């Protein structure tokens, strides 16, 4: 079964169960939020990662030849003319938990990731991007509990080494979930990885496959951290508002 969703392209990857705070100020996304909130609950949109392009961009700005400075138009401003080239085709449905409109017309938004999807067709004809999507099933997979225990142990070591490289204290280690599916998404979100690696984890066919990939990535990252004297401070357990 397929459905059409409005899309919010971001430079970060959203996973099921994770919270997404957003500071919405661009006109196209104000319109998206206004249209969603005017309809029935639940209010949902799709989050897709940006492969090539920018989260924010001026729209309606004349170029040197007098035409639109951004060939993608308003919906694709900052992304270029072809969304299939600019964006990943795997994303996550975000359900709005709270939305507060500011005096300037923007929104302070809190949403939660719910379900993964695959984009079947992008549509940039309107004021914001939409897509026909197919939701992906969640499969636990074999030996997920055993793999989860191994990932949990290695993830704790990883965060301790990262904290040591940052010369800071470790936070967020006390309450890792027992559910291997939830753990797989939490570790994917909390690890410092390239967007391509995070997208690969999002697209894993099962929790077992995701946990197996995380074991390999965490071993690699932990080994690198052991050789580094220090790293720039970065907060892993909290997400700042995404300016969009």
């Amino acid at each position: 079964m397929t459905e059409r969703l409005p899309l919010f392209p971001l430079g970060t990857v959203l996973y099921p169960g994770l919270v997404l705070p957003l500071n919405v100020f661009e006109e196209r996304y104000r319109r998206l939020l206004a249209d969603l909130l005017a309809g029935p609950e639940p209010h949902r949109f799709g989050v897709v990662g940006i492969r090539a392009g920018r989260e924010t961009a001026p729209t309606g700005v004349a170029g040197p030849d007098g035409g639109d400075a951004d060939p993608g138009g308003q919906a694709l401003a900052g992304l270029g003319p072809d969304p299939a080239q600019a964006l990943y085709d795997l994303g996550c449905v975000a359900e709005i938990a709270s939305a507060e409109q500011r005096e300037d017309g923007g929104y302070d938004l809190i949403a939660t990731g719910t379900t993964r999807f695959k984009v079947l067709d992008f549509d940039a004809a309107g004021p914001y991007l939409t897509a026909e999507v197919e939701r992906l099933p969640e499969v636990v997979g074999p030996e997920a509990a055993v793999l989860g225990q191994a990932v949990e142990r290695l993830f704790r070591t990883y965060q301790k080494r990262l904290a040591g490289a940052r010369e800071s204290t470790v936070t967020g280690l006390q309450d890792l979930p027992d559910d291997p599916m939830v753990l797989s998404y939490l570790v994917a979100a909390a690890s410092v990885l390239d967007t391509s690696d995070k997208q690969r984890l999002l697209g894993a066919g099962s929790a077992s496959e995701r946990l197996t990939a995380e074991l390999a990535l965490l071993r690699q990252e932990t080994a690198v951290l052991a050789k580094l004297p220090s790293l720039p401070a970065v907060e892993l357990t909290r997400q700042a508002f995404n300016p969009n």
Side-chain angles (χ1 to χ4, degrees), residues 19-203:
V19 174
L20 175 69
L22 286 171
N23 169 17
V24 180
F25 63 85
E26 283 194 67
E27 180 58 34
R28 53 183 164 174
Y29 299 127
R30 292 185 188 187
R31 175 71 178 275
L32 185 159
L33 263 294
D35 289 350
L36 273 184
L37 296 174
E41 295 184 351
H43 303 130
R44 298 189 179 106
F45 58 92
V47 173
V48 288
I50 297 173
R51 191 196 309 268
R54 306 188 304 276
E55 279 191 356
T56 61
T59 59
V61 178
D65 60 354
D68 194 332
D70 194 307
Q74 183 177 1
L76 288 173
L79 300 173
D82 187 356
Q85 294 295 321
L87 304 173
Y88 289 97
D89 64 356
L90 289 175
C92 184
V93 176
E95 184 170 314
I96 296 174
S98 66
E100 181 178 348
Q101 190 169 20
R102 302 188 303 269
E103 291 185 2
D104 64 3
Y107 292 86
D108 289 327
L109 180 72
I110 301 293
T112 303
T114 61
T115 312
R116 300 175 305 149
F117 62 81
K118 179 175 179 60
V119 174
L120 303 178
D121 181 52
F122 291 103
D123 184 356
Y128 48 81
L129 193 62
T130 65
E132 191 75 17
V133 306
E134 180 180 31
R135 299 206 186 194
L136 300 177
E138 295 293 357
V139 178
V140 176
E143 304 296 330
V146 175
L147 287 166
Q149 292 172 0
V151 167
E152 179 179 349
R153 289 192 297 269
L154 187 53
F155 182 64
R156 290 180 182 276
T157 300
Y158 165 76
Q159 282 204 316
K160 288 175 182 176
R161 289 194 178 177
L162 184 60
R166 292 165 47 201
E167 298 180 352
S168 61
T169 59
V170 177
T171 60
L173 294 181
Q174 294 80 13
D175 299 314
L176 292 175
D178 294 327
D179 186 315
M181 182 71 72
V182 178
L183 177 67
S184 73
Y185 283 130
L186 177 62
V187 169
S191 300
V192 180
L193 301 170
D194 291 339
T195 300
S196 58
D197 286 327
K198 285 183 174 283
Q199 280 288 151
R200 181 161 61 91
L201 295 176
L202 178 68

Side-chain angles (χ1 to χ4, degrees), residues 203-229:
S206 66
S208 294
E209 183 180 325
R210 187 174 302 107
L211 290 164
T212 299
E214 287 168 349
L215 280 173
L217 288 167
L218 288 173
R219 288 190 184 108
Q220 174 183 306
E221 295 301 312
T222 301
V224 170
L225 288 170
K227 299 178 181 179
L228 294 179

